[in-house]
Amino acid sequence: MQKFEKWQGCGNDFIIFNSIQNERIDAAEKIKQMCDRHFGIGADGVIYVLPSEVADVRMRIFNADGSEAEMCGNGIRCFTKFLLGENSDALQVETGAGILNVQLEKNLVTVDMGEPILDAAKIPVTFNKDKVIAEPLEIDGEIFKITCVSMGNPHCVIFVDDLSKINLEQLGKKFEYHKIFPRRTNTEFVKVLSRSELKMRVWERGSGITLACGTGTCATVIAANLNGLAEKSATVHLDGGDLQIEWGADNHVYMTGAAEKVFTGIV
């Protein structure tokens, strides 16, 4: 048996294990069982705190279907608060997307998410162009203009006039498993409210519909700027809360938001 803590960031929720001493990683089937909202603890993913040889600490994160993700923006904020509590401090965190710097101050966590990847081959998305910005993609007979960005994990961003008309359950699966995404994709549907304010809904690869996605929020602001729809700093409204995103002059993307502990248990 092992103690866990349940955390949420903008409604994106995670089961976190401190595996510094035993380096425990559960099998995919066990992770699926723990994430089940009817027969398990219930979560969008499971995070393990592990030792690192190259940073202060290492984070591994697994989706609700048991597959491992490279990174998770809301997850790393929860990870940071799990470790630092209420103490203002900084950490270097080793992730599947590289080493990221995080800063906790006044109960908000700012994460240097690194530089966005726009090279189609590196996202990856198999398209006949070096960058995929407002390119047409047909899904079920309807043409969507997609912009693809990687924040260490792949994202496909679509701007729409009315989010209420989007069947996220149906379309999310179609995008995630589309043949042009060899490693599948996260998909964000976005309405532009102003040049500094966006509304986003998300289908996460391996987890389905979630209340928020940190890396997806970063990708959304980048895509909006690339399409001339928003500035490089914007507030993004998610189903679970708000995040502040800034695409800095150093080409790094900075995400700021809260994270809260929900409960503690033993499994």
Side-chain angles (χ1 to χ4, degrees), residues 21-259:
Q21 299 300 325
N22 60 13
E23 298 195 43
R24 159 186 173 162
I25 300 292
D26 289 292
E29 192 59 35
K30 179 64 179 295
I31 289 170
K32 289 172 65 176
Q33 291 172 359
M34 289 190 290
C35 290
D36 190 290
R37 297 191 182 276
H38 298 287
F39 300 101
I41 299 165
D44 293 320
V46 177
I47 295 173
Y48 297 90
V49 181
L50 297 161
S52 172
E53 296 181 357
V54 294
D56 295 321
V57 68
R58 182 184 181 198
M59 181 181 93
R60 288 185 70 182
I61 180 164
F62 295 81
N63 299 312
D65 67 354
S67 61
E68 185 167 7
E70 299 90 344
M71 231 295 287
C72 174
N74 290 318
I76 198 171
R77 292 202 322 279
C78 292
F79 178 94
T80 300
K81 284 292 295 291
F82 173 88
L83 288 173
L84 296 181
E86 301 302 319
N87 301 315
S88 293
D89 205 347
L91 284 174
Q92 280 196 327
V93 182
E94 180 186 357
T95 75
I99 297 173
L100 301 183
N101 295 302
V102 298
Q103 176 76 48
L104 172 61
E105 188 172 355
K106 295 181 180 178
N107 211 36
L108 292 177
V109 181
T110 297
V111 184
D112 178 351
M113 301 288 285
E115 299 187 47
I117 297 168
L118 302 177
D119 184 327
K122 294 180 180 178
I123 290 173
V125 50
T126 55
F127 220 82
N128 59 353
K129 294 193 175 182
D130 293 337
K131 295 181 180 179
V132 180
I133 301 173
E135 294 293 341
L137 180 67
E138 183 178 342
I139 301 284
D140 288 346
E142 185 175 357
I143 301 296
F144 295 89
K145 288 190 175 180
I146 65 171
T147 297
C148 295
V149 179
S150 172
M151 290 303 306
N153 55 354
H155 292 272
C156 174
V157 182
I158 303 104
F159 296 97
V160 299
D161 294 327
D162 190 348
L163 283 171
S164 68
K165 293 183 178 179
I166 298 298
N167 186 333
L168 193 55
E169 179 74 34
Q170 177 181 326
L171 287 173
K173 291 179 182 178
K174 295 292 180 72
F175 276 95
E176 178 178 356
Y177 290 97
H178 196 283
K179 63 183 180 181
I180 71 167
F181 301 110
R183 291 170 61 186
R184 299 186 290 161
T185 191
N186 302 279
T187 307
E188 289 79 31
F189 292 92
V190 183
K191 178 176 174 58
V192 177
L193 303 178
S194 73
R195 293 192 64 82
S196 61
E197 198 172 8
L198 309 168
K199 171 68 177 174
M200 182 192 102
R201 296 200 69 207
V202 60
W203 174 275
E204 289 199 59
R205 175 188 62 170
S207 292
I209 297 172
T210 63
L211 296 179
C213 175
T215 52
T217 308
C218 296
T220 287
V221 172
I222 292 159
N225 183 262
L226 291 173
N227 281 278
L229 301 173
E231 305 300 333
K232 287 190 170 184
S233 179
T235 298
V236 182
H237 303 292
L238 308 156
D239 287 346
D242 296 346
L243 288 174
Q244 180 66 35
I245 307 299
E246 181 178 0
W247 189 4
D250 58 0
N251 198 37
H252 284 228
V253 183
Y254 297 88
M255 174 191 66
T256 300

